Amino acid sequence: MNPFKYGTIVRGEYFYDRSEECKRIVSTLSGGNNIVLLAPRRYGKTSLVFRALEELESKGFTCVYFDFMPVYSRESFIEAYTRSILAKQGNWEKAVKKVGALLSGVRLGLSLDPAGTPEFRINFIDAKVNEKTLQEILELPERLASGKKKFIMVFDEFQEIVKLNGENFEGLLRSTIQRQRNVNYLFLGSRTHLLSDMFHNKNRAFYDSAMSMQLDLLPERESVAYLKKRFAESAIKIDNATAGILLNQAGNIPYYIQLLAAEVWQYSIPAPAVVSEKSIIECAGRILDLKSDYYSELFDRHSAAQKKLLKALVSGSEGIYSAGYSSKHRLSAVSTTQKALAGLIESGIVEKTGNQFIIGDPFFRLFIKNYAY
Ligand SMILES: Nc1ncnc2c1ncn2[C@@H]1O[C@H](COP(=O)(O)OP(=O)(O)OP(=O)(O)O)[C@@H](O)[C@H]1O
Ligand SMILES: [Mg+2]
């Protein structure tokens, strides 16, 4: 079994560090405040939140994790949301009865699938979902909670709420949850700039409604220690400097660290020995090869101004709007660069961290470096 895992929520022995962040999430939520967790893509937000939820559950909170990504309409929201709340109520039959009694706009039912497993059904009474039905659904957690049994609701990929007819839904959700006494909310998502706008823009419904928490990269020292330990379990040695090279190639981003380490492990396992810099570079090259079709399509999808800017960003974004930067990278007018940059941020290719603009995927960065000229 490869000791490195990527692309899914990681837990148990696959998860390291983040204990301070976890403590902070647990204490903020159990103290009755809401959180919005902000971090660029693939920093480990969802995994951290799952870790925190385990702890909150053990303290007696009922925790409901809800992902907005698969939601495509108000009906689908209502169905999926009700289902995730019901799933925390234990026995399905009792849950359907209890929760069904609280809802007037929908009817809940159960049927048995061919394997005899109960399947939850929801029927809408009116042809079109009205505000009242939506509100009843949003009030469910508070109605099921009590002073002794508090709820924590987690909304992942929360920026996707705009799919549900934006502001109106946002406003309704905000005003409903504001009144709730026994429920706290944790918001997160992978499109940082959209999420940040929702909570920091005065004109948005969720403005100032949650404590912002910024998640940083995993500390290098912890990552090096983790890599050494996991490789050692398969009799593979890696020294500090070489582990540092691996982190560097992966842009130090948790997902890419695991991706590259998994490839290095695979490469080393037939004859476990010492990991060399050469093997890391070779493995990074293999990952690049595997992804090159996708990357070349992705690159070609952009305008000429964006391509130029992407190429420039490979070597940094210091002074991006200065004349020096522009002439060095043969960019067009500042307004063109600004527009190109806004598009790249919008599509999630470029992340703004502090004053820097970074191509989020280190392998895409490498691809552009080697491919575009
Ligand atoms: N604490 C951690 N320990 C070990 N690996 C981690 C940790 N956090 C994240 N990872 C790695 O990063 C990957 C992505 O993690 P996760 O899905 O939690 O991140 P995310 O920030 O929610 O991503 P996205 O922005 O795509 O939603 C994991 O599959 C794992 O490989
Ligand atoms: Mg996530």
Side-chain angles (χ1 to χ4, degrees), residues 98-269:
K98 182 173 168 192
V99 174
L102 301 173
L103 303 170
S104 64
V106 292
R107 275 205 194 94
L108 308 185
L110 271 185
S111 57
L112 293 181
D113 74 1
T117 321
E119 240 175 32
F120 157 70
R121 277 180 296 104
I122 186 161
N123 290 315
F124 292 86
I125 291 167
D126 292 323
K128 210 165 175 290
V129 174
N130 59 35
E131 201 116 307
K132 181 162 169 271
T133 305
L134 206 48
Q135 187 145 7
E136 276 181 355
I137 300 287
L138 295 174
E139 275 167 0
L140 267 184
E142 176 75 5
R143 298 196 63 185
L144 294 167
S146 64
K148 278 201 195 121
K149 188 84 188 163
K150 294 195 188 261
F151 270 55
I152 305 288
M153 303 299 293
V154 176
F155 287 156
D156 204 347
E157 302 299 355
F158 186 56
Q159 71 281 338
E160 302 300 316
I161 193 177
V162 292
K163 290 189 293 203
L164 305 178
N165 182 11
E167 313 258 317
N168 172 3
F169 188 92
E170 265 178 71
L172 183 66
L173 180 58
R174 167 77 205 255
S175 64
T176 310
I177 71 181
Q178 211 165 14
R179 292 191 297 270
Q180 302 184 340
R181 291 287 156 262
N182 295 311
V183 189
N184 281 102
Y185 289 79
L186 168 56
F187 307 93
L188 67 153
S190 56
R191 317 267 320 260
T192 318
H193 71 291
L194 298 179
L195 200 60
S196 173
D197 186 64
M198 290 178 76
F199 288 85
H200 300 141
N201 177 343
K202 279 200 177 103
N203 301 318
R204 298 290 294 270
F206 277 85
Y207 174 68
D208 244 3
S209 63
M211 180 186 280
S212 278
M213 181 175 162
Q214 190 78 39
L215 188 63
D216 289 327
L217 290 167
L218 288 161
E220 275 187 42
R221 211 161 48 100
E222 304 297 330
S223 295
V224 167
Y226 184 78
L227 288 171
K228 289 178 92 157
K229 176 172 157 279
R230 294 300 265 168
F231 276 120
E233 286 161 10
S234 306
I236 300 168
K237 284 204 178 84
I238 183 164
D239 63 30
N240 288 3
T242 315
I245 293 168
L246 192 155
L247 296 184
N248 191 268
Q249 286 285 313
N252 206 14
I253 298 170
Y255 171 91
Y256 298 99
I257 296 173
Q258 298 297 315
L259 172 67
L260 184 52
E263 190 66 28
V264 171
W265 182 86
Q266 188 100 10
Y267 174 98
S268 313
I269 203 68

Side-chain angles (χ1 to χ4, degrees), residues 4-10 14-18 39-49 156-157 188-191 215 218 226 253-259:
F4 302 104
K5 212 177 190 172
Y6 53 90
T8 53
I9 293 156
V10 284
Y14 294 97
F15 185 95
Y16 62 94
D17 196 66
R18 298 292 193 213
R41 295 206 61 195
R42 297 173 162 179
Y43 269 41
K45 299 174 289 291
T46 305
S47 300
L48 167 62
V49 164
D156 204 347
E157 302 299 355
L188 67 153
S190 56
R191 317 267 320 260
L215 188 63
L218 288 161
Y226 184 78
I253 298 170
Y255 171 91
Y256 298 99
I257 296 173
Q258 298 297 315
L259 172 67

